[in-house]
Amino acid sequence: MKRNIQVLLLLLSGAGVLHITLLTEVYLRYVKEGLRIPLIVSGVLLLALGMVGAARDGFPFAKPTAEEPAEHADHDGDHGDGGHGHDHSSGPRIAWLLFLPALALLFFTPPALGAFTAAREGDPAVSEDARFAPLPDRSPLVMPLSDFQARARQDTDRSLKGRTVRMTGFVTPGEDGGWYLTRLVLSCCAADAQSVKVRMHGAEAPQANSWVTVTGSWRPVGEVGTDSARATLDVAGMRRVPQPANPYADAVPPTA
């Protein structure tokens, strides 16, 4: 990879990072919202490095003049390699592969992680010392999937009993023909995403990865407070909804 191509790669990468952080919210499909500022700084630095390199090398089509012959042309014997000089301004050929993610940041919006990822994760272990705050006195009770899952499996006071709840997530098919309402939650970035799943009963499974809001009531399965407990819901109502701007934020919508 020649030096002018390396400069172009820096410029494309910087422009791509700034595009997904300043002009769109696509960065939320890669990392948590709190990493937006570091990404912007990284994009600015990449652009700056690219522009410095372009200015120094006469980018993009700098050619040697008659007074300034091509690099190493008159130094063939200086390398001890039998008269064959090497252009050390070139990078490894594998660096060409970096153009694919750089161009993708500019021209392609990747889908968020979905059912394929979630289907391969099991339920987390139950915490023996879980404590839960009282639930609001309203119906239906709009709540995050993570809160419902934790209460359904660990709340020995059974605070969900008799309550009508409403939750939003995407559809993950089960191996036995059933389905789960699912959210993926990030600790840092998409690589460490953890799934939160609630088994649905009483409603036909929508298309995988479609986003829905369901209303229903808790169905106890297993012994609460042990690993045998499962988070399940008897569905009373369901409607399709668009995917949220931040698909990894398992939170109650502000309008809820």
Side-chain angles (χ1 to χ4, degrees):
M1 177 184 286
K2 298 298 183 180
R3 183 170 179 81
N4 57 349
I5 304 300
Q6 296 174 30
V7 170
L8 178 60
L9 180 57
L10 283 173
L11 293 172
L12 284 176
S13 299
V17 171
L18 293 179
H19 172 72
I20 65 173
T21 52
L22 293 178
L23 302 181
T24 70
E25 294 184 329
V26 173
Y27 78 97
L28 292 172
R29 301 188 180 186
Y30 300 103
V31 298
K32 294 184 69 173
E33 189 172 6
L35 294 177
R36 181 171 181 260
I37 297 302
L39 280 176
I40 292 175
V41 172
S42 299
V44 171
L45 289 175
L46 287 171
L47 273 181
L49 289 172
M51 288 187 289
V52 169
R56 186 181 66 180
D57 299 337
F59 179 82
F61 300 115
K63 296 181 180 180
T65 64
E67 294 77 15
E68 187 180 11
E71 186 171 358
H72 298 294
D74 57 354
H75 299 286
D76 289 342
D78 294 342
H79 297 277
D81 56 1
H84 298 287
H86 297 280
D87 183 2
H88 296 289
S89 66
S90 298
R93 292 182 179 180
I94 197 172
W96 281 98
L97 295 177
L98 294 175
F99 271 98
L100 297 178
L103 292 173
L105 291 176
L106 283 170
F107 303 113
F108 175 68
T109 301
L113 298 178
F116 180 84
T117 300
R120 282 150 182 77
E121 292 192 23
D123 291 327
V126 168
S127 173
E128 297 181 357
D129 58 350
R131 298 291 184 270
F132 299 94
L135 291 171
D137 186 17
R138 60 179 178 179
S139 186
L141 178 63
V142 183
M143 61 192 311
L145 259 70
S146 54
D147 189 15
F148 181 90
Q149 183 194 65
R151 290 176 183 270
R153 301 190 66 216
Q154 304 179 63
D155 186 5
T156 55
D157 291 334
R158 296 176 175 260
S159 59
L160 292 173
K161 185 176 181 180
R163 301 298 302 270
T164 299
V165 300
R166 179 173 294 162
M167 300 179 292
T168 298
F170 64 86
V171 176
T172 298
E175 295 181 354
D176 56 358
W179 63 285
Y180 296 85
L181 190 67
T182 314
R183 297 298 290 258
L184 288 169
V185 181
L186 305 186
S187 296
C188 176
C189 61
D192 60 23
Q194 301 292 318
S195 66
V196 179
K197 297 187 291 187
V198 176
R199 181 63 180 255
M200 300 288 110
H201 293 278
E204 185 176 350
Q207 182 179 359
N209 290 311
S210 59
W211 283 78
V212 295
T213 292
V214 299
T215 303
S217 56
W218 173 46
R219 173 192 284 199
V221 173
E223 183 179 352
V224 178
T226 71
D227 287 339
S228 67
R230 295 291 179 265
T232 57
L233 190 82
D234 285 323
V235 179
M238 178 173 59
R239 60 184 175 87
R240 293 284 296 269
V241 296
Q243 177 179 294
N246 186 353
Y248 303 127
D250 182 29
V252 174
T255 57

